[in-house]
Amino acid sequence: MTAGTTGVRATARIVARDDGRGGTSLPVLEGDGPLALRRTRGSGAEARVMLVGAMSGPLGGDHFTVEAGVERGARLRVGSAAATIALPGQAKGEARYDVRLTVADGGELWWLPEQLISVRGSDLHVTSRVDLGATARLVLREEQVLGRTGEEPGRLGSRLVVRVAGRTVLDQELACGPGAPGGWDGPAVLAGHRAVGQIVVVRPEFADAPVTARVLGEGAAVVPLAGPAALVTAVASDALRLRRVLDVALASVG
């Protein structure tokens, strides 16, 4: 970890590997500063890791990076112990949070962090990039909450890019809050809702049997992507309702 007038720089790294005995080992599990990693009890062949925030942040000017690699035949589930809260800080400038995920052929990753909450006065940009092998499996959930109860949000930008076998199946961006392009809170985007989320599911069998595009109750929909993948998007009035909608949607995708 490094710190200075421009904010904190911190990186966390995970590598999951088939241990040859029906399980998954973690030869690399390291984090610094505000990014602490803890292995928890897994299930079957799956290893589980919890991301624990050891400090406040990200604050203005901070740059956090989380990298996870799943090798052939390994299975990894990653969650977080609490929501990530984007806060204003003494250092000026945008804070950044980068996520880099790779899953080799035959590997499986469940990426299930808690919500990201954008606090008034904060300025955060999140970029998630996922590279998958042709037979890799993925469940990735992102949830963003605009402001705490009764509070206006800060500025929040996010980009999610997913590639399968070198082919881009999803590349989307969203900007919300003060200074974001006009219309972000209008009927074509969030329509006044303060929680937005998505789930990306990648499975080889979707190549031959893609999911059917459909609306899932109020405020959610599932669509097939141009590859062995599906995207669920949802909006809700608050974080609790959003999680319920996404849980139902994930179960419907199978």
Side-chain angles (χ1 to χ4, degrees), residues 7 16 28 37 40-41 44 47 49 67 78 96 99 106 111 137 140 144 155 166 175 194 211 214 224 239 251:
V28 177
L37 298 171
T40 61
R41 179 174 295 181
V49 173
E67 302 172 353
V78 179
R96 298 191 61 85
V99 177
W111 188 262
R137 294 175 177 270
L140 178 147
Q144 297 160 353
R155 176 168 178 144
R194 284 296 177 263
V211 301
R214 59 193 184 276

Side-chain angles (χ1 to χ4, degrees), residues 72 104-107 132-137 164 204:
R72 181 183 293 270
D105 284 333
L132 306 165
T135 60
R137 294 175 177 270
V164 179

Side-chain angles (χ1 to χ4, degrees), residues 228-247:
L231 172 67
V232 174
T233 56
V235 294
S237 58
D238 57 45
L240 181 60
R241 289 181 175 88
L242 178 65
R243 176 64 60 84
R244 289 173 177 167
V245 170
L246 289 176
D247 285 348

